[in-house]
Amino acid sequence: MDKLIEKLRTFAKERDWDKFHSPKNLAMALIVEVSEIIEHFQWLTEDQSRNLDQKTLAKVKEEIGDTLIYLARLADQLGIDPILAANEKMKKNADKYPVGKAKGVAKKYTEL
Amino acid sequence: MDKLIEKLRTFAKERDWDKFHSPKNLAMALIVEVSEIIEHFQWLTEDQSRNLDQKTLAKVKEEIGDTLIYLARLADQLGIDPILAANEKMKKNADKYPVGKAKGVAKKYTEL
Amino acid sequence: MDKLIEKLRTFAKERDWDKFHSPKNLAMALIVEVSEIIEHFQWLTEDQSRNLDQKTLAKVKEEIGDTLIYLARLADQLGIDPILAANEKMKKNADKYPVGKAKGVAKKYTEL
Amino acid sequence: MDKLIEKLRTFAKERDWDKFHSPKNLAMALIVEVSEIIEHFQWLTEDQSRNLDQKTLAKVKEEIGDTLIYLARLADQLGIDPILAANEKMKKNADKYPVGKAKGVAKKYTEL
């Protein structure tokens, strides 16, 4: 992840793109990429989404790449380490969703 | 990233959540988290988004954590390595956006 | 719809909100509301989404209201009549998706 | 709006699309259309978003049309009148955002 973030910094700097890469704009670019993932799944059943053909899988892989690119870039512009942020959130989630209460249930922690 | 993905697998398995974690559903959960990032930026100017107060920054950090969690989980359910996907995409982007053409310009490669 | 748009104009004017209501910001607010709809459906099966309990239905109704509010406001700020835009798009869709080709198939027109 | 909803029903029925049009799937299609609006604004300043060139405006108009189409269709599948939902929400908003407190301020009502 650190190498990716470094690569993205260089890429943006070479192209003089920092002026466009405000967190506000990057958040917009991020959601556009995620919706390109959504587009592949919108008319599929859940089972079909678990069994993509190779062509669709290759496209989804590209969109996942784009999503991580903008997420890493956004985090970097805010001085946030995304892996650390995820690990800290997982600790909170372990408290919010204890195995005893959350097993087999897809409810928000406020409703458990 | 690999450790995070492993941790997410264990977390879901302990809670018997794999049945909910179809790629279709995870893509939906992913976009919900990204929109929680968007919500913090929607009424801010770009400059303000570059200079968040500590309280807002802490919240955005949590949403970035959640976003990476669902992105990593989605990728894992599809057998995709997200860092690899991002690196492959960066190679394509270097071709699509050569420094000479893209410098200082925020246009899609199809319009360069 | 025209009355709603007029009401939204007055509401924003009274609160001196026009300065925040740039199309860019309104588009962000719009997608946040749509993702609040998504949040209700993310862990449901398609069948469950067709048979919401009254409590969830009431919440989704509110989010649909919010979505239409921001969509109407965005259209108005751009001088666009949303009903007219939808009707014109439906004419195009009738050409893109002729009954003979599109019947029972959920493919994009470019793949029909 | 009622005529549009009726037209959408006929369009879907002729194509045997009701089976794809679960609220879950329509919510996904809806957010994809909204993100196509976002895509036009992501690298623009707020001022630029208020002054679109004719070509971009025409494209945004189409995306607004698509968004209203899926919003109307989603509401219809749930038995919700979208205009009524918006009007009811506006009444709540008038209570949440009284002119005296909300004037010139872009804060969530919970922070006013």
Side-chain angles (χ1 to χ4, degrees):
Chain A
M1 177 70 91
D2 289 345
K3 281 186 198 166
L4 174 64
I5 289 172
E6 188 56 48
K7 198 187 294 184
L8 295 171
R9 263 184 223 167
T10 306
F11 195 88
K13 199 175 178 186
E14 286 172 351
R15 281 156 190 78
D16 194 18
W17 280 357
D18 274 300
K19 59 186 174 190
F20 302 120
H21 284 191
S22 65
K24 181 180 178 102
N25 288 1
L26 289 168
M28 294 176 86
L30 173 58
I31 207 160
V32 168
E33 295 306 334
V34 175
S35 87
E36 291 180 6
I37 300 175
I38 296 267
E39 197 174 358
H40 290 292
F41 294 130
Q42 61 190 357
W43 306 123
L44 301 187
T45 64
E46 286 185 57
D47 274 354
Q48 288 169 335
S49 82
R50 290 183 193 265
N51 296 285
L52 300 180
D53 59 72
Q54 287 306 309
K55 196 179 146 194
T56 306
L57 187 62
K59 286 181 190 168
V60 171
K61 187 180 171 184
E62 282 209 23
E63 309 304 355
I64 284 177
D66 276 328
T67 301
L68 185 57
I69 285 169
Y70 280 118
L71 181 62
R73 186 81 186 124
L74 171 64
D76 191 37
Q77 291 290 62
L78 292 167
I80 290 170
D81 175 336
I83 297 282
L84 184 66
N87 281 325
E88 287 182 9
K89 197 64 207 310
M90 282 304 288
K91 279 184 204 158
K92 289 199 181 185
N93 288 346
D95 290 337
K96 280 178 175 174
Y97 299 95
V99 173
K101 281 191 179 176
K103 194 158 190 172
V105 184
K107 284 187 181 166
K108 205 168 178 176
Y109 68 97
T110 47
E111 294 174 15
L112 281 179
Chain B
M1 178 70 91
D2 289 345
K3 281 185 198 166
L4 174 65
I5 289 172
E6 189 56 49
K7 197 187 294 184
L8 295 172
R9 264 185 222 165
T10 306
F11 195 88
K13 199 176 179 186
E14 285 173 351
R15 281 156 190 79
D16 195 18
W17 280 357
D18 273 302
K19 60 186 173 189
F20 301 120
H21 284 191
S22 65
K24 182 180 177 101
N25 289 0
L26 289 168
M28 295 176 85
L30 174 59
I31 207 160
V32 168
E33 295 306 334
V34 175
S35 86
E36 292 180 6
I37 299 175
I38 297 266
E39 196 173 359
H40 290 292
F41 294 128
Q42 62 190 357
W43 306 123
L44 301 187
T45 64
E46 286 185 60
D47 274 354
Q48 288 169 334
S49 82
R50 289 183 194 264
N51 295 287
L52 299 180
D53 60 72
Q54 288 305 308
K55 196 179 146 194
T56 307
L57 186 63
K59 286 182 189 167
V60 171
K61 187 180 171 184
E62 282 208 24
E63 310 302 356
I64 284 178
D66 276 328
T67 301
L68 185 56
I69 285 169
Y70 279 118
L71 181 63
R73 186 80 185 124
L74 171 64
D76 190 38
Q77 291 290 63
L78 291 167
I80 291 169
D81 176 334
I83 298 282
L84 184 66
N87 281 325
E88 288 183 8
K89 196 65 205 310
M90 282 304 289
K91 278 184 204 159
K92 290 198 179 185
N93 288 346
D95 290 337
K96 281 179 175 173
Y97 299 95
V99 173
K101 282 191 179 175
K103 194 158 189 172
V105 183
K107 284 188 181 164
K108 207 169 177 176
Y109 68 97
T110 46
E111 295 175 14
L112 281 179
Chain C
M1 178 71 92
D2 289 344
K3 281 186 199 167
L4 175 64
I5 289 173
E6 188 56 48
K7 198 189 292 185
L8 295 171
R9 263 186 223 166
T10 306
F11 195 89
K13 200 176 178 186
E14 286 173 352
R15 282 156 190 79
D16 194 18
W17 280 358
D18 273 300
K19 60 186 173 190
F20 302 120
H21 284 190
S22 65
K24 182 180 178 101
N25 289 1
L26 289 168
M28 295 176 85
L30 173 59
I31 207 161
V32 168
E33 295 306 333
V34 175
S35 87
E36 291 180 7
I37 300 175
I38 296 268
E39 197 173 358
H40 289 292
F41 294 129
Q42 63 189 357
W43 306 123
L44 301 188
T45 64
E46 286 186 59
D47 274 354
Q48 288 170 335
S49 81
R50 291 184 193 264
N51 296 285
L52 299 180
D53 60 72
Q54 287 306 309
K55 195 178 146 194
T56 306
L57 186 62
K59 286 182 189 167
V60 171
K61 187 181 171 183
E62 282 209 22
E63 309 303 355
I64 285 178
D66 275 329
T67 301
L68 184 57
I69 285 169
Y70 279 118
L71 182 62
R73 187 83 185 123
L74 171 64
D76 190 38
Q77 291 290 63
L78 292 167
I80 291 169
D81 175 335
I83 297 281
L84 184 67
N87 280 326
E88 287 183 8
K89 197 64 205 313
M90 282 304 288
K91 279 185 204 159
K92 290 200 179 185
N93 288 346
D95 290 337
K96 280 179 175 173
Y97 298 95
V99 173
K101 282 190 178 175
K103 194 158 190 171
V105 183
K107 283 188 182 164
K108 206 169 178 176
Y109 68 98
T110 46
E111 295 174 15
L112 281 179
Chain D
M1 178 70 91
D2 289 345
K3 280 186 199 167
L4 175 65
I5 289 172
E6 188 57 48
K7 198 188 291 184
L8 295 171
R9 263 185 223 166
T10 306
F11 195 88
K13 199 177 178 185
E14 286 173 352
R15 282 156 189 78
D16 194 19
W17 280 358
D18 274 300
K19 61 186 173 189
F20 302 120
H21 284 189
S22 66
K24 182 180 178 102
N25 289 2
L26 289 168
M28 295 176 87
L30 173 59
I31 207 160
V32 168
E33 295 306 334
V34 175
S35 86
E36 292 180 6
I37 299 175
I38 296 268
E39 197 173 359
H40 290 291
F41 294 128
Q42 62 189 357
W43 307 122
L44 300 188
T45 64
E46 287 184 60
D47 274 353
Q48 287 170 334
S49 81
R50 291 183 193 264
N51 296 286
L52 299 180
D53 60 72
Q54 288 306 308
K55 196 180 146 195
T56 306
L57 186 63
K59 286 182 190 166
V60 171
K61 187 181 171 184
E62 282 210 22
E63 309 304 355
I64 285 177
D66 276 329
T67 301
L68 184 57
I69 285 169
Y70 280 118
L71 181 62
R73 186 82 185 123
L74 171 64
D76 191 38
Q77 290 291 62
L78 292 167
I80 290 169
D81 176 335
I83 298 281
L84 184 66
N87 281 325
E88 288 183 8
K89 197 64 206 312
M90 282 304 289
K91 279 185 204 160
K92 290 200 179 182
N93 287 346
D95 290 337
K96 280 179 174 173
Y97 299 95
V99 172
K101 281 190 178 175
K103 194 157 188 172
V105 183
K107 284 188 181 165
K108 206 169 177 175
Y109 68 97
T110 46
E111 294 173 15
L112 281 179

